[in-house]
């Protein structure tokens, strides 16, 4: 059974809480990194759940659903959401860029000092926050329909 929309929303808010955390300034760099990483995990969950739900509504795409059901990730999800008209070309490009930045960030997490890593994580978090929120709302609407 997949996570409830309430659980997904709680995780999303947890990422935001990490980003906005101000109690101990010396911990702020780590909080921004945690916020970005949690946000990307939540985003991938939103994208894959949304994509699978939409594919289930399309009997003409049954073979694709069967293939996706066993291994469905960020890249396939954004391709499907774009193909199905759920996201615009601009949103597709933003999500693809974010995917590439996420991978670059994760694979090079320790290549820079903590301050630089934190700054980059905070920028990526900020750039994608609105889009993540919109996709979460879209998933919520789809689940209610």
């Amino acid at each position: 059974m997949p996570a409830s929309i309430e659980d997904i929303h709680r995780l999303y808010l947890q990422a935001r809480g990490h980003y906005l955390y101000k109690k101990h300034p010396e911990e702020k760099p780590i909080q921004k990194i945690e916020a970005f990483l949690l946000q990307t995990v939540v985003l991938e969950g939103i994208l894959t759940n949304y994509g699978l739900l939409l594919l289930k509504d399309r009997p003409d795409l049954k073979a694709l659903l069967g293939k996706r059901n066993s291994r469905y990730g960020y890249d396939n999800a954004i391709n499907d959401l774009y193909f199905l008209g759920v996201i615009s070309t601009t949103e597709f490009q933003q999500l693809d860029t974010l995917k590439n930045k996420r991978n670059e960030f994760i694979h090079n997490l320790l290549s820079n000092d903590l301050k630089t890593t934190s700054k980059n994580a905070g920028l990526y978090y900020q750039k994608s926050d609105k889009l993540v929120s919109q996709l979460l709302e879209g998933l919520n609407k789809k689940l209610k329909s």
Side-chain angles (χ1 to χ4, degrees):
M1 173 179 227
S4 69
I5 195 70
E6 293 81 14
D7 287 341
I8 295 168
H9 193 69
R10 269 193 291 281
L11 285 170
Y12 171 70
L13 292 175
Q14 185 73 25
R16 180 173 282 160
H18 280 280
Y19 181 77
L20 298 173
Y21 183 74
K22 295 185 189 289
K23 192 170 183 180
H24 300 286
E26 70 278 0
E27 294 179 14
K28 186 72 173 174
I30 295 168
Q31 299 292 21
K32 283 187 177 180
I33 294 167
E34 290 173 343
F36 174 70
L37 294 175
L38 186 54
Q39 181 192 52
T40 62
V41 169
V42 170
L43 177 59
E44 186 163 356
I46 291 168
L47 293 169
T48 57
N49 280 292
Y50 203 175
L52 287 172
L53 283 171
L54 292 170
L55 287 174
K56 286 178 184 174
D57 288 347
R58 297 285 305 266
D60 57 321
L61 299 175
K62 185 178 180 179
L64 186 58
L65 175 62
K67 181 179 178 180
R68 300 279 198 248
N69 217 6
S70 62
R71 183 162 167 88
Y72 198 49
Y74 191 113
D75 201 43
N76 286 330
I78 63 172
N79 291 339
D80 291 352
L81 292 173
Y82 181 66
F83 172 72
L84 294 169
V86 174
I87 58 174
S88 69
T89 300
T90 301
E91 291 167 331
F92 175 83
Q93 290 168 336
Q94 288 173 328
L95 288 166
D96 194 54
T97 298
L98 181 61
K99 175 196 68 173
N100 293 333
K101 290 295 182 185
R102 175 199 68 174
N103 290 345
E104 178 185 317
F105 181 83
I106 289 171
H107 294 291
N108 297 304
L109 184 62
L110 302 176
S111 297
N112 295 307
D113 62 276
L114 190 59
K115 190 174 182 178
T116 302
T117 300
S118 175
K119 179 182 174 189
N120 290 334
L123 288 173
Y124 300 143
Y125 174 90
Q126 238 177 347
K127 283 183 178 183
S128 56
D129 188 48
K130 184 178 178 184
L131 184 56
V132 174
S133 180
Q134 291 170 339
L135 289 166
L136 180 55
E137 184 57 34
L139 176 60
N140 190 25
K141 286 179 184 176
K142 179 63 183 163
L143 287 169
K144 289 181 178 180
S145 66

